[in-house]
Amino acid sequence: MTVKWKNIYVLALFFMTCVLTGCGNSENSRNHFEDKEKLAIVTTIYPMYDFTLNIAGDRAEVINLVPAGTEPHDFELSAKDMQLIEKADIFIYNGAGMEHFVDKTLAAVSNQDLTVVEAASGIQLLEAGSYDDEGLHDDGHEKEKTDPHTWLSIQNAIAESEAIKETLVKLDEENADYYEANYQAYKEKLEDLEERYRETLSGMSRDTIVTAHEAFGYLCNEYGLKQKAVEGLTADSEPDAAKMKEIIEFCKKNEIKIIFFEDLVSPKVAKTIADEIGAETMTLNPVEGLTAKQEEDGLDYIGIMEQNLEALKKALQ
């Protein structure tokens, strides 16, 4: 089978699978690009969308695949999403193992002119939690060996924004100065946020947080903090009795007063632990995606990270 016919076969097979299985229920704000004079950009998850909007400004149309209110780890690509990617000029994803659907998607895309950007490709990745010799997690299932939540380090957010900017400059040289100016302005905002994080967290009396989801490794690594997570990187299963006992004993020993949970994940386990030790629960947002309310309120990466800083301050004082 020639390469050409092999690609056609893979694409046809992918679309057939989407028709038969539904491939999820993505509900983007729209499923087509409206302005043919602008760069057409598809992003995968909210951080990539927000970084791209800040740099591309009004020179591009940007559509994000994972809709508000959807946990990205649970997202499945639809046939309409594939059609959208086929019509795009640029496809931007985080990488680092975050988007499980990307490899299959790129293998099926027939758009030879599509520019693909893996924003986290130049970032040093952190290992996930403890693994046994066979790369299995506590429940015996294969898990990601690296933490994909790279953007929770503000320095990484700057690096990923720069990677996006460089692609825009290369692809649209006529507007290079515009993209460069937007990037520099956004970088200054991120650097200001990073400075506030350093000033605030350097004076805390505690250094450990308890989270429902092992998503905050990059943030903790950046500021000398430690996270004790109830669940793994994808928060896809409830902890067993032994794990619950371990977490409860850890919280009592370390006098933990706040158990963090996330907007897009059930708070049930966090509330159970908090009730057991007499603590309270609060949101710590991994910024994987927005809720519909956050989207309606106009929150963005910086706004959510500011809320996270206030939550960390309360937990660590």
Side-chain angles (χ1 to χ4, degrees):
M1 184 180 293
T2 65
V3 173
K4 176 182 177 181
W5 284 107
K6 183 177 180 181
N7 288 339
I8 293 174
Y9 171 78
V10 171
L11 184 60
L13 182 62
F14 185 89
F15 279 120
M16 185 179 296
T17 302
C18 285
V19 170
L20 292 174
T21 66
C23 284
N25 187 31
S26 173
E27 295 182 2
N28 300 309
S29 58
R30 60 184 187 273
N31 292 301
H32 63 279
F33 294 102
E34 298 171 351
D35 191 337
K36 298 186 183 300
E37 299 301 317
K38 296 182 178 182
L39 283 175
I41 304 176
V42 172
T43 58
T44 53
I45 58 175
Y46 179 74
M48 302 303 100
Y49 176 72
D50 194 33
F51 298 162
T52 303
L53 281 182
N54 276 280
I55 298 163
D58 61 7
R59 300 297 195 273
E61 271 195 85
V62 187
I63 299 178
N64 197 49
L65 290 178
V66 181
T70 299
E71 219 287 332
H73 295 292
D74 299 331
F75 175 77
E76 296 291 342
L77 211 65
S78 72
K80 288 184 177 180
D81 293 329
M82 277 298 296
Q83 292 168 9
L84 192 66
I85 296 169
E86 287 287 357
K87 297 175 182 177
D89 298 309
I90 307 175
F91 177 73
I92 300 173
Y93 71 108
N94 185 72
M98 183 64 198
E99 301 96 338
H100 63 87
F101 55 86
V102 164
D103 288 345
K104 181 186 290 186
T105 299
L106 295 180
V109 168
S110 61
N111 179 2
Q112 298 297 314
D113 296 322
L114 181 68
T115 297
V116 177
V117 181
E118 182 183 1
S121 62
I123 289 172
Q124 183 175 355
L125 303 181
L126 296 178
E127 291 186 3
S130 60
Y131 291 84
D132 61 25
D133 292 337
E134 296 180 348
L136 304 179
H137 226 320
D138 298 334
D139 60 2
H141 291 93
E142 186 175 354
K143 299 290 183 179
E144 295 89 343
K145 293 187 177 182
T146 55
D147 183 347
H149 305 86
T150 52
W151 59 88
L152 286 172
S153 156
I154 300 171
Q155 287 299 321
N156 286 351
I158 292 173
E160 295 194 37
S161 297
E162 184 175 16
I164 293 168
K165 180 264 296 184
E166 289 177 350
T167 298
L168 293 175
V169 167
K170 182 178 181 180
L171 207 62
D172 184 16
E173 295 181 0
E174 184 178 340
N175 290 302
D177 290 344
Y178 175 82
Y179 300 133
E180 185 67 46
N182 284 353
Y183 165 71
Q184 291 298 332
Y186 189 53
K187 181 182 177 183
E188 288 181 11
K189 293 179 182 179
L190 291 174
E191 288 175 337
D192 174 70
L193 176 66
E194 205 270 343
E195 184 176 348
R196 281 181 280 151
Y197 260 77
R198 290 203 178 278
E199 289 178 354
T200 300
L201 298 179
S202 63
M204 294 293 100
S205 59
R206 300 171 182 267
D207 67 356
T208 302
I209 59 174
V210 174
T211 64
H213 177 194
E214 189 189 352
F216 301 93
Y218 293 94
L219 188 154
C220 289
N221 186 65
E222 196 77 49
Y223 305 107
L225 303 178
K226 304 170 187 175
Q227 72 170 334
K228 181 71 172 179
V230 180
E231 301 179 65
L233 287 169
T234 58
D236 57 0
S237 62
E238 292 190 5
D240 59 23
K243 183 66 173 180
M244 288 289 285
K245 181 181 179 182
E246 174 197 334
I247 294 293
I248 289 170
E249 290 178 351
F250 176 89
C251 291
K252 289 179 178 178
K253 179 180 179 180
N254 291 275
E255 299 181 340
I256 299 296
K257 302 301 181 185
I258 293 175
I259 309 297
F260 286 120
F261 68 96
E262 302 163 27
D263 291 313
L264 299 178
V265 178
S266 170
K268 182 175 68 173
V269 172
K271 289 184 181 297
T272 298
I273 295 170
D275 289 343
E276 180 69 24
I277 65 173
E280 65 176 298
T281 58
M282 287 186 68
T283 299
L284 191 65
N285 198 323
V287 208
E288 293 177 347
L290 299 184
T291 64
K293 181 66 165 56
Q294 289 168 338
E295 186 175 61
E296 182 182 328
D297 292 343
L299 270 175
D300 57 10
Y301 172 85
I302 290 177
I304 294 174
M305 288 294 284
E306 288 173 337
Q307 292 179 348
N308 281 348
L309 180 57
E310 291 303 310
L312 289 168
K313 181 179 177 181
K314 184 172 181 179
L316 296 172
Q317 62 187 5

